[in-house]
Every structure is written in structure tokens, then in C-alpha cells.
């Protein structure tokens, strides 16, 4: 499928597995009048933005390294294996990926699940309205406010402590390496 160009995006993740989204997934969603929501890493997101510049990009980040480590450990336990070396590799990779947050239109900090879900829903609704040229009414005005608050350019102060907790200078990029 790779050689035939049948992937919208694909990437080797953690040097061990290939993951990707077949072009037909987007074609099928479009034909059915549906949006396609992709849960992909920064490599795949870059490929999608290159192929579909109008794609809406949303970076979802954890609130801090401690929460991320807990989530990764819990996921590993659920899969029946906890490998500390693998966990550390994933933590290191996450810090590198977070440095790419400026490449995304929207940023969500997944600290409170209900809030993150509401923000995601607002972004999707607002982007659909923009795409379809729908008018803004009282209900959609609130969604617009929520979505606008998640735009990268409007999220900088909210992101500052999150980025700093990962050793990233919100103004320029990586800070001095930190032990996670």
C-alpha cells in the first residue's frame, strides 16, 4: 500500500511498528458526508497537512509529565506489560513531539476530560459551520468562543506551565533537559 501511494499518512512509531491511514478512509467519509477524525502522531499530522492544507489540526497534550507517565503506565498495565525502558522512551518521544505544538491550529490540554471533550466538540462544530457557511447564533457563538480559546495563538498563557513542565520554553523551544 505504501509503494502504491494508498496511504493518506503513515509513520514508523517508536522504531518498531508502522501505522497509517488509508486514503480510502478519507474517500469513504467524504462520500458519506462525514468528517474524518484521525488520532495520529506528529509525523502523520505533518503528512496530512502537506497533502490537505485545509485540514484542521488539533494537538492534544497532557497537562504535565507526571500525568503522562501515569497514563502511559496504566495503558501498559491494561495491555499486560510494563516495560520501564519502553515507558521512558515514550516519555522522551512525547517531549519531542510536544515541541511541535505551534504547527497545529488548535491546542487542547487534556487535564480535565469533560473540558477537553467540550473543547473538541466546539472546534468540530465551529469548523463545520465555517466550512458550510452557517450563520452564528447564540448557541454557536459560545462554541466559537470555546474554539477560539483553543487556537494556538490564543492559548499561549494557558500552555506556558504545561510546556515548562516538559522543559520547553514557550517562547523559543526546548529548555535545558529535565529528568521526567
Amino acid at each position: 500500500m505504501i509503494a502504491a501511494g494508498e496511504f493518506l499518512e503513515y509513520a514508523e512509531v517508536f522504531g518498531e511498528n508502522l501505522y497509517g491511514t488509508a486514503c480510502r478512509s478519507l474517500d469513504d467519509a467524504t462520500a458519506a458526508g462525514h468528517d474524518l477524525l484521525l488520532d495520529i502522531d506528529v509525523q502523520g499530522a505533518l503528512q496530512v497537512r502537506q497533502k490537505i492544507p485545509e485540514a484542521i489540526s488539533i494537538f492534544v497534550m497532557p497537562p504535565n509529565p507526571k500525568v503522562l507517565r501515569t497514563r502511559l503506565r496504566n495503558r501498559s498495565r491494561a495491555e499486560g506489560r510494563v516495560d520501564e525502558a519502553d515507558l521512558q522512551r515514550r516519555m522522551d518521544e512525547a517531549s519531542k513531539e510536544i515541541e511541535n505544538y505551534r504547527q497545529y491550529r488548535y491546542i487542547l490540554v487534556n487535564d480535565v476530560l469533560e473540558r477537553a471533550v467540550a473543547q473538541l466538540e466546539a472546534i468540530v462544530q465551529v469548523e463545520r459551520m465555517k466550512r458550510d457557511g452557517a450563520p452564528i447564533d447564540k448557541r454557536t457563538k459560545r462554541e466559537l468562543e470555546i474554539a477560539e480559546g483553543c487556537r494556538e495563538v490564543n492559548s499561549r498563557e494557558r500552555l506556558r506551565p504545561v510546556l515548562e513542565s516538559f522543559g520547553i520554553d514557550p517562547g523559543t523551544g526546548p529548555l535545558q533537559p529535565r529528568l521526567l
Side-chain angles (χ1 to χ4, degrees):
M1 287 179 71
I2 293 172
E6 295 177 10
F7 280 106
L8 174 61
E9 60 82 27
Y10 68 92
E12 183 175 336
V13 180
F14 301 116
E16 22 180 89
N17 298 307
L18 282 173
Y19 294 92
T21 304
C23 291
R24 74 176 168 268
S25 297
L26 178 59
D27 296 340
D28 292 347
T30 301
H34 297 125
D35 296 318
L36 182 63
L37 180 66
L38 303 176
D39 178 7
I40 54 180
D41 71 348
V42 296
Q43 298 171 75
L46 176 60
Q47 292 174 45
V48 170
R49 286 192 308 274
Q50 289 171 340
K51 292 178 182 176
I52 309 171
E54 68 276 11
I56 308 306
S57 58
I58 306 169
F59 193 98
V60 181
M61 67 173 67
N64 59 57
K66 182 178 179 184
V67 168
L68 177 60
R69 183 178 289 278
T70 298
R71 290 175 181 172
L72 290 173
R73 187 180 306 281
N74 289 343
R75 185 180 307 153
S76 293
R77 281 188 186 128
E79 294 171 355
R81 61 177 180 84
V82 176
D83 179 338
E84 290 301 320
D86 183 51
L87 183 62
Q88 186 57 50
R89 187 177 76 227
R90 289 177 183 263
M91 290 294 297
D92 293 343
E93 189 63 30
S95 292
K96 291 177 196 167
E97 288 189 354
I98 289 171
E99 291 176 20
N100 294 289
Y101 77 96
R102 288 184 190 93
Q103 298 173 12
Y104 293 76
R105 189 176 305 178
Y106 295 97
I107 314 294
L108 297 182
V109 177
N110 187 8
D111 52 354
V112 178
L113 180 61
E114 293 79 14
R115 177 174 47 206
V117 168
Q119 290 171 329
L120 178 61
E121 289 173 342
I123 291 166
V124 170
Q125 290 303 320
V126 165
E127 290 296 333
R128 282 180 182 157
M129 289 178 352
K130 289 178 182 178
R131 178 193 64 206
D132 298 340
I136 295 176
D137 58 22
K138 194 174 191 178
R139 181 182 143 272
T140 55
K141 184 177 180 186
R142 179 65 184 135
E143 288 180 332
L144 180 61
E145 291 170 359
I146 293 168
E148 285 299 311
C150 298
R151 289 182 66 86
E152 189 273 328
V153 297
N154 297 328
S155 300
R156 293 185 179 144
E157 286 309 308
R158 169 137 164 72
L159 294 176
R160 179 175 297 283
V162 176
L163 296 170
E164 289 174 349
S165 75
F166 281 94
I168 299 168
D169 181 343
T172 59
L175 293 169
Q176 294 297 321
R178 294 183 46 164
L179 296 175
L180 301 178

